[in-house]
Amino acid sequence: MAKLKAILLNCSLKGKGDEPSSTEKLLGEVAEQLKKLDVTCSTVRIVDHNIKFGVEADMGGADEWPKIHDQIIASDIIVFGTPIWIGHRGSVCQMVLERMDAMLSETNDLGQLPLYNKVAGCCVVGNEDGAQNVSAGVLYNLMQFGATIPPNAEAYWVGLAGGEDDYVDLKKPHPYTQKLVEYISHNLVHLATMLKNNPIPAEGNKAE
Amino acid sequence: MAKLKAILLNCSLKGKGDEPSSTEKLLGEVAEQLKKLDVTCSTVRIVDHNIKFGVEADMGGADEWPKIHDQIIASDIIVFGTPIWIGHRGSVCQMVLERMDAMLSETNDLGQLPLYNKVAGCCVVGNEDGAQNVSAGVLYNLMQFGATIPPNAEAYWVGLAGGEDDYVDLKKPHPYTQKLVEYISHNLVHLATMLKNNPIPAEGNKAE
Amino acid sequence: MAKLKAILLNCSLKGKGDEPSSTEKLLGEVAEQLKKLDVTCSTVRIVDHNIKFGVEADMGGADEWPKIHDQIIASDIIVFGTPIWIGHRGSVCQMVLERMDAMLSETNDLGQLPLYNKVAGCCVVGNEDGAQNVSAGVLYNLMQFGATIPPNAEAYWVGLAGGEDDYVDLKKPHPYTQKLVEYISHNLVHLATMLKNNPIPAEGNKAE
Amino acid sequence: MAKLKAILLNCSLKGKGDEPSSTEKLLGEVAEQLKKLDVTCSTVRIVDHNIKFGVEADMGGADEWPKIHDQIIASDIIVFGTPIWIGHRGSVCQMVLERMDAMLSETNDLGQLPLYNKVAGCCVVGNEDGAQNVSAGVLYNLMQFGATIPPNAEAYWVGLAGGEDDYVDLKKPHPYTQKLVEYISHNLVHLATMLKNNPIPAEGNKAE
């Protein structure tokens, strides 16, 4: 079997030149695990690309979404990473998922939605509260686009009520989050391998 | 002006005879503040009453909802207290709000929904994560039933990602939560006083 | 391969003796499809059983949860069916998921969470609005408990804004919902078959 | 009393030059009602301004947020209008609320959060499903920033499950949505008037 390919979408509000990103840190931990499991990883920092608001596959002009679209389609594993802001998925994450909405009009070679036979997971960081709601919503959207969601396909860190710390500032690893990183990485690989070897038959699930 | 009356609805899954309830603790802190502000407080522990599943005003049999319904209608201030379970408002909280759904078919003397001129707030506790989503949903439902939501009409406590502590077990007060208790209590009283002195005119808001 | 087994959990607020249930109708349509795909189906109407509020595996007394727990564990496919009330999963659905919370302390023979190698889907009905949020939350909880979520593992019907019709009263099939019924049924079977033939290895995903 | 001022924030993904916007239509209906009630209305179409991603009051460069910030602070009534995309508030709406997050570090003359004594409402449109969840979240964020939420401070339209129509394409008014437009407009004015005449005392609610 060819090596599995993963794309990690970093939906931080901050660009590469800015101060350290908690989203980057957590996604990086998942990427490190995936690499140990022999997965080729590619990380895209969305705000460093010119992505336009909209729900079309190509919004024209200098829109750089099409190339990210193609990287997603070429991957076996899709991992979203997003900060929580005011309790919700960040605006950059929502913008990316809006662009993916156009995938509902595309199909793979078998006539299924284009994310069939891919698996998806989600990483979330915030100062406090909101991780599970964000994770549930992102994974659900990806499932609607055709991805399979393995068990425990999430990793998150949030602080206490009213917390002001960032994940990137933690002095030592947070055991619960480390366990989640372990789970998500292994289960993405387990299910992606399974689907690569045994794709979902195109019966009862063709897009119209 | 007559003293303001508050009803505090404790939606813990646990009854009075059970081990200490974090919901009870947080609601108690709000009640204490409200009393200092000269409000008459009445707390109802839902699971100690025979409340039936359903969406009718009276589900018949030994249904004890009607008396709680009447206490709500007789109050100026409504405070919900609920634990978070698996990231959501507890089932008891949802059951109570389902019963309140029947209020959408009732009106006050002016033809408005019965919670007009009342104010509502929400208290939420959990081991980790989910407080803001729960609070947003509960306050929104109460607004739909006609209540006014004052600024910062919430108090919550949640622990770190994967947290196992309970609010009731904290050794010392959590400053952020204490600040929220202060906010919610004062603002409920400020707005309830205002609405008691100047009820919302029955113009453009009569229920049909 | 032995026949696949599915359990369908009907979380209607109404019991068997009551008027027709929209949840029952939609779950029934999924069950019919599953049977055509050679799955043995068992439907449980929760309110017809004595299920206690709580988060323990057995709440004592006449608690009938343990037998439903065992049926879930013995199944390959788990389908939740819930009405939407005031925009949220019904209280009965939340009560069931609270009881399943105790599964986080259990493991299967391999040391994984007990829903590993099972697949889960969700059916939701309401007069208007709220289906996707309810579905996202239920599927996410089941994923946290160890289930795999196939693509398009949901079926729902909701009416227009302010809608008053019930799914059970529709004069003719709603094409979109019918398509979802087709998707969820086939994909539950495709993934359940795959996991039965190739269980998820117990590497990097043992519960602690 | 001076005339009340309202700002309506149109968070459509589409700019002024694009095809008709459903968000614009619904916000326009609320603005029309508000004008009849003698309110001065100002509508801002966010994507026609250069608003940067971030959570600072001024993100530098050609960032046009500061002038919108000032318009919000100068208003008595704040109305958000957003489309639903993939079940969630649009990315533009989330981006605006992220920018407002910086208001948590500001105060009014009395030391309260800057939205104290303002009222807020929300308008939501989508092809199907998601309006109430979006509305609940937006109103909750505004309440956290200090706004008061009047009863029934929302208007929305969504279609049937899987709906493909847009609000802007409806041939005739949708009675339920029209009723909500009536409610939100009148109640925003009722509560804004009340708060203008009787501001919330700066007791127990000063920001720190």
Side-chain angles (χ1 to χ4, degrees):
Chain A
M1 193 181 85
K3 278 183 75 162
L4 291 171
K5 273 183 277 191
I7 185 166
L8 298 96
L9 298 160
N10 179 341
C11 299
S12 175
L13 302 189
K14 295 181 293 198
K16 260 177 199 145
D18 297 333
E19 70 265 47
S21 148
S22 290
T23 307
E24 185 180 32
K25 181 183 172 189
L26 184 54
L27 269 187
E29 291 167 351
V30 170
E32 200 183 331
Q33 274 285 343
L34 289 174
K35 284 175 197 163
K36 283 188 195 161
L37 297 167
D38 205 31
V39 177
T40 304
C41 292
S42 167
T43 301
V44 177
R45 188 135 174 178
I46 298 297
V47 291
D48 289 333
H49 299 265
N50 182 10
I51 309 299
K52 293 181 186 295
F53 290 121
V55 293
E56 303 298 326
D58 188 339
M59 296 299 294
D63 185 17
E64 290 178 47
W65 174 252
K67 72 176 178 188
I68 298 174
H69 168 281
D70 293 350
Q71 283 182 272
I72 293 172
I73 297 297
S75 300
D76 306 297
I77 296 172
I78 304 161
V79 186
F80 265 73
T82 183
I84 305 163
W85 285 111
I86 47 167
H88 292 261
R89 53 171 76 169
S91 51
V92 174
C93 176
Q94 173 67 12
M95 181 181 68
V96 170
L97 288 162
E98 286 166 355
R99 296 306 301 273
M100 290 181 74
D101 190 67
M103 290 185 179
L104 292 173
S105 309
E106 302 171 24
T107 53
N108 65 15
D109 291 346
L110 299 173
Q112 300 161 320
L113 287 174
L115 298 197
Y116 268 65
N117 298 314
K118 302 183 189 307
V119 297
C122 188
C123 294
V124 185
V125 288
N127 299 98
E128 59 142 4
D129 209 65
Q132 297 189 55
N133 190 38
V134 167
S135 189
V138 170
L139 293 172
Y140 176 72
N141 288 149
L142 294 166
M143 178 211 77
Q144 290 185 305
F145 299 153
T148 293
I149 313 300
N152 307 123
E154 64 170 341
Y156 63 86
W157 183 82
V158 286
L160 281 169
E164 301 192 348
D165 294 335
D166 288 319
Y167 185 59
V168 76
D169 296 322
L170 295 189
K171 297 282 180 288
K172 51 182 184 177
H174 185 63
Y176 183 74
T177 302
Q178 292 315 108
K179 188 179 71 173
L180 294 178
V181 166
E182 191 87 2
Y183 282 177
I184 184 179
S185 307
H186 282 82
N187 286 341
L188 285 169
V189 171
H190 291 322
L191 270 288
T193 303
M194 203 174 291
L195 289 169
K196 193 141 192 157
N197 290 329
N198 296 286
I200 302 174
E203 291 161 14
N205 53 29
K206 289 195 187 176
E208 283 148 44
Chain B
M1 192 180 86
K3 279 183 75 161
L4 291 170
K5 272 182 280 190
I7 186 166
L8 298 97
L9 298 160
N10 179 341
C11 299
S12 174
L13 302 189
K14 294 181 293 197
K16 261 178 200 145
D18 298 333
E19 70 265 46
S21 148
S22 290
T23 306
E24 184 180 32
K25 181 183 171 188
L26 184 54
L27 268 188
E29 290 168 352
V30 170
E32 199 183 331
Q33 274 284 345
L34 289 174
K35 285 174 197 164
K36 284 188 195 162
L37 297 167
D38 205 31
V39 177
T40 305
C41 292
S42 167
T43 300
V44 177
R45 189 134 173 179
I46 299 296
V47 291
D48 289 333
H49 300 264
N50 182 8
I51 310 299
K52 293 181 184 295
F53 291 121
V55 291
E56 304 297 327
D58 188 339
M59 296 299 293
D63 185 16
E64 291 179 45
W65 174 252
K67 72 176 179 188
I68 298 175
H69 168 281
D70 293 350
Q71 283 182 271
I72 293 172
I73 296 299
S75 301
D76 305 295
I77 296 171
I78 304 161
V79 186
F80 265 73
T82 182
I84 306 163
W85 285 111
I86 46 168
H88 293 261
R89 54 172 75 168
S91 51
V92 173
C93 177
Q94 172 67 11
M95 181 181 68
V96 170
L97 288 162
E98 286 165 355
R99 296 305 302 271
M100 290 181 74
D101 190 67
M103 290 186 180
L104 291 173
S105 309
E106 300 171 25
T107 54
N108 66 15
D109 291 347
L110 299 172
Q112 301 161 319
L113 286 174
L115 298 197
Y116 267 66
N117 299 314
K118 302 181 189 307
V119 297
C122 188
C123 294
V124 185
V125 288
N127 299 98
E128 58 142 4
D129 209 65
Q132 298 189 57
N133 190 39
V134 167
S135 190
V138 170
L139 292 172
Y140 176 72
N141 288 150
L142 295 166
M143 178 212 77
Q144 291 186 305
F145 299 153
T148 292
I149 313 300
N152 308 122
E154 63 170 343
Y156 63 87
W157 184 83
V158 286
L160 281 168
E164 302 192 348
D165 293 336
D166 287 318
Y167 185 59
V168 76
D169 296 322
L170 295 188
K171 296 284 181 288
K172 50 180 185 179
H174 185 62
Y176 183 74
T177 302
Q178 292 315 109
K179 188 179 71 172
L180 294 178
V181 167
E182 191 86 3
Y183 283 176
I184 184 179
S185 306
H186 282 83
N187 287 342
L188 285 169
V189 171
H190 290 324
L191 269 289
T193 303
M194 203 175 291
L195 289 170
K196 193 142 192 156
N197 290 330
N198 297 286
I200 302 173
E203 291 161 14
N205 53 28
K206 288 196 189 176
E208 285 148 45
Chain C
M1 194 181 86
K3 279 182 76 161
L4 291 171
K5 273 183 279 190
I7 185 165
L8 298 97
L9 298 159
N10 179 340
C11 299
S12 174
L13 301 189
K14 295 181 291 198
K16 261 179 199 145
D18 297 334
E19 71 264 47
S21 147
S22 290
T23 307
E24 184 180 33
K25 180 183 172 189
L26 184 54
L27 268 188
E29 291 167 351
V30 170
E32 199 183 333
Q33 274 285 344
L34 289 174
K35 285 174 197 164
K36 284 188 195 162
L37 297 166
D38 205 32
V39 177
T40 305
C41 291
S42 165
T43 301
V44 177
R45 189 134 174 178
I46 299 296
V47 291
D48 289 332
H49 300 264
N50 182 9
I51 309 299
K52 292 180 185 295
F53 290 122
V55 292
E56 304 297 327
D58 188 337
M59 296 300 293
D63 185 16
E64 291 179 45
W65 174 252
K67 71 175 179 189
I68 298 175
H69 169 281
D70 293 350
Q71 283 182 272
I72 293 172
I73 296 298
S75 301
D76 305 296
I77 296 171
I78 304 161
V79 185
F80 265 73
T82 182
I84 306 163
W85 285 111
I86 48 168
H88 292 261
R89 54 172 74 169
S91 51
V92 174
C93 176
Q94 173 67 10
M95 181 181 69
V96 169
L97 288 162
E98 286 165 355
R99 296 306 301 273
M100 290 181 74
D101 190 67
M103 290 185 179
L104 292 172
S105 309
E106 302 171 24
T107 55
N108 65 15
D109 291 347
L110 299 173
Q112 301 160 320
L113 286 174
L115 299 197
Y116 268 65
N117 298 314
K118 303 183 188 307
V119 296
C122 188
C123 295
V124 185
V125 288
N127 300 97
E128 59 142 4
D129 209 68
Q132 297 189 57
N133 190 38
V134 167
S135 189
V138 170
L139 292 172
Y140 176 72
N141 287 150
L142 294 167
M143 178 212 76
Q144 291 186 305
F145 298 153
T148 292
I149 313 300
N152 308 122
E154 63 171 341
Y156 63 87
W157 183 83
V158 286
L160 281 169
E164 301 193 348
D165 294 336
D166 287 318
Y167 185 59
V168 76
D169 297 321
L170 295 188
K171 297 283 182 288
K172 50 182 185 177
H174 185 62
Y176 183 74
T177 302
Q178 292 316 108
K179 188 178 70 172
L180 295 178
V181 166
E182 191 87 2
Y183 283 176
I184 185 179
S185 306
H186 282 83
N187 287 341
L188 285 169
V189 171
H190 290 323
L191 268 288
T193 303
M194 203 174 291
L195 289 170
K196 194 142 192 156
N197 290 329
N198 297 287
I200 302 174
E203 291 162 13
N205 53 29
K206 289 195 188 176
E208 283 148 44
Chain D
M1 193 180 86
K3 278 183 76 162
L4 291 171
K5 271 182 280 190
I7 185 166
L8 298 97
L9 298 160
N10 179 341
C11 299
S12 174
L13 302 190
K14 294 182 292 198
K16 260 178 200 146
D18 297 333
E19 70 265 47
S21 149
S22 290
T23 307
E24 186 180 31
K25 180 182 172 188
L26 184 54
L27 269 187
E29 290 167 352
V30 170
E32 199 183 332
Q33 274 285 344
L34 289 174
K35 285 175 197 163
K36 283 188 195 161
L37 297 167
D38 205 31
V39 177
T40 304
C41 292
S42 166
T43 301
V44 177
R45 188 135 175 178
I46 299 296
V47 292
D48 289 332
H49 299 265
N50 183 9
I51 309 299
K52 292 181 186 295
F53 290 121
V55 293
E56 304 298 327
D58 188 338
M59 297 299 295
D63 186 16
E64 291 178 46
W65 174 252
K67 71 175 180 189
I68 298 175
H69 169 280
D70 293 350
Q71 284 182 270
I72 293 172
I73 297 298
S75 301
D76 306 296
I77 296 171
I78 304 161
V79 186
F80 265 73
T82 183
I84 306 164
W85 284 111
I86 47 168
H88 292 261
R89 54 171 75 168
S91 52
V92 173
C93 176
Q94 173 67 11
M95 182 182 68
V96 170
L97 288 162
E98 285 165 356
R99 296 306 301 273
M100 291 181 73
D101 190 68
M103 291 186 179
L104 292 172
S105 309
E106 302 171 25
T107 54
N108 65 15
D109 292 346
L110 298 173
Q112 301 161 320
L113 287 174
L115 299 196
Y116 268 66
N117 299 315
K118 303 182 189 307
V119 297
C122 188
C123 295
V124 185
V125 288
N127 300 97
E128 59 143 3
D129 209 66
Q132 298 189 55
N133 190 38
V134 166
S135 190
V138 170
L139 292 172
Y140 176 72
N141 288 150
L142 294 167
M143 178 212 77
Q144 291 185 306
F145 298 153
T148 292
I149 313 301
N152 308 121
E154 64 170 342
Y156 63 87
W157 183 83
V158 285
L160 282 169
E164 301 193 349
D165 294 336
D166 287 318
Y167 185 59
V168 77
D169 296 322
L170 294 189
K171 298 283 181 285
K172 51 182 184 177
H174 185 62
Y176 183 75
T177 302
Q178 292 315 107
K179 188 178 70 171
L180 295 178
V181 166
E182 191 87 1
Y183 284 176
I184 183 179
S185 306
H186 282 82
N187 287 341
L188 285 169
V189 171
H190 291 322
L191 269 288
T193 303
M194 204 174 291
L195 289 169
K196 194 141 192 157
N197 290 330
N198 296 287
I200 302 173
E203 291 161 14
N205 52 30
K206 289 195 187 176
E208 285 148 42

